[in-house]
Amino acid sequence: MKKLLLLLCVLCAAQPELRAQGGRGYLYQEWTVEQGDSTPLIHVVPVPVFQRPADLRRYRRLVDAVKKVYPIAKTARAKMAEMEAELLRLPTKKEQKAYIKQVYDEIKDEYTPVLKHMTRTQGRVLLKLIDRETNRTAYDVLREFRGGFVAGFWQGISKIFGQDLKSAYDKEGEDRIIEQIVAYYEAGLL
């Protein structure tokens, strides 16, 4: 055990770029005292291991997609909370529709250039992260704010391009890798 700790200390000392990067090679380091002797305890970042290079490329593409679209999903959550509060404040259906139209135009002007340059992977990840942040699928959001016909139309268009607006976020199942990447992103490890 002491040899392993000594080896870890030597490796950390031999690679100053890990310490120079502000701890990006490990989560954090703490010191323990055992029988009057202090030893470092280093918590290392989990490293994904892939059997094939194609899996590694797919994982890196997913990491890049999450980095690009996660801030947009967080903005969507904040915007939806703001919209719901404002819609509860407005008394008539006409004023609510006018407000929804105004917010729709603002979002369209702001995010159309960004969304036009997204890949399919980034779009799929954005749909999943919007569901993660708002607890509603993109289809439900469209149906609530724009109506069932518009939601159905865009669901049909998304199906043509191989996407699904009704896809729910499953952090324990098929989306566990996205959840892990989000956790690393929030911790500042990516």
Side-chain angles (χ1 to χ4, degrees):
M1 182 66 179
K2 288 183 181 180
K3 289 182 182 181
L4 179 64
L5 288 175
L6 180 63
L7 178 64
L8 282 174
C9 290
V10 169
L11 287 175
C12 288
Q15 296 181 357
E17 66 273 358
L18 288 179
R19 285 181 277 129
Q21 293 177 354
R24 290 188 54 94
Y26 53 89
L27 290 175
Y28 59 92
Q29 178 180 352
E30 58 186 57
W31 292 85
T32 60
V33 178
E34 295 176 9
Q35 300 173 354
D37 190 20
S38 58
T39 56
L41 179 60
I42 301 171
H43 300 272
V44 180
V45 176
V47 177
V49 178
F50 300 98
Q51 293 179 359
R52 301 178 313 163
D55 294 336
L56 178 61
R57 284 192 302 272
R58 194 174 301 122
Y59 178 78
R60 286 183 178 159
R61 193 176 318 127
L62 194 59
V63 168
D64 292 339
V66 169
K67 282 182 182 180
K68 182 172 182 175
V69 301
Y70 186 63
I72 296 171
K74 289 185 72 86
T75 304
R77 179 183 65 187
K79 193 71 145 171
M80 279 189 56
E82 177 186 318
M83 272 183 67
E84 288 173 347
E86 185 66 23
L87 287 174
L88 290 175
R89 190 186 68 76
L90 294 173
T92 65
K93 191 86 161 164
K94 185 177 180 179
E95 290 176 346
Q96 290 176 350
K97 281 189 172 189
Y99 177 72
I100 289 173
K101 174 90 170 107
Q102 173 195 351
V103 170
Y104 171 75
D105 290 338
E106 290 173 5
I107 290 172
K108 186 177 176 183
D109 292 341
E110 184 176 352
Y111 288 105
T112 297
V114 176
L115 296 176
K116 278 187 176 181
H117 297 289
M118 278 190 183
T119 63
R120 288 184 183 185
T121 302
Q122 291 169 346
R124 182 180 53 82
V125 170
L126 178 61
L127 292 176
K128 295 283 189 172
L129 290 177
I130 285 175
D131 183 30
R132 177 187 187 269
E133 293 297 315
T134 62
N135 293 325
R136 294 186 215 156
T137 63
Y139 180 83
D140 293 337
V141 172
L142 273 173
R143 191 180 66 213
E144 181 179 341
F145 292 113
R146 298 282 293 161
F149 180 76
V150 173
F153 172 76
W154 286 112
Q155 173 66 6
I157 296 294
S158 69
K159 283 291 192 177
I160 290 171
F161 290 102
Q163 304 294 336
D164 186 13
L165 296 180
K166 294 181 180 179
S167 62
Y169 186 77
D170 182 18
K171 71 178 185 177
E172 301 294 326
E174 68 180 33
D175 299 322
R176 69 182 184 283
I177 295 175
I178 294 175
E179 183 69 24
Q180 178 188 35
I181 293 169
V182 168
Y184 289 162
Y185 181 82
E186 288 178 339
L189 298 173
L190 295 177

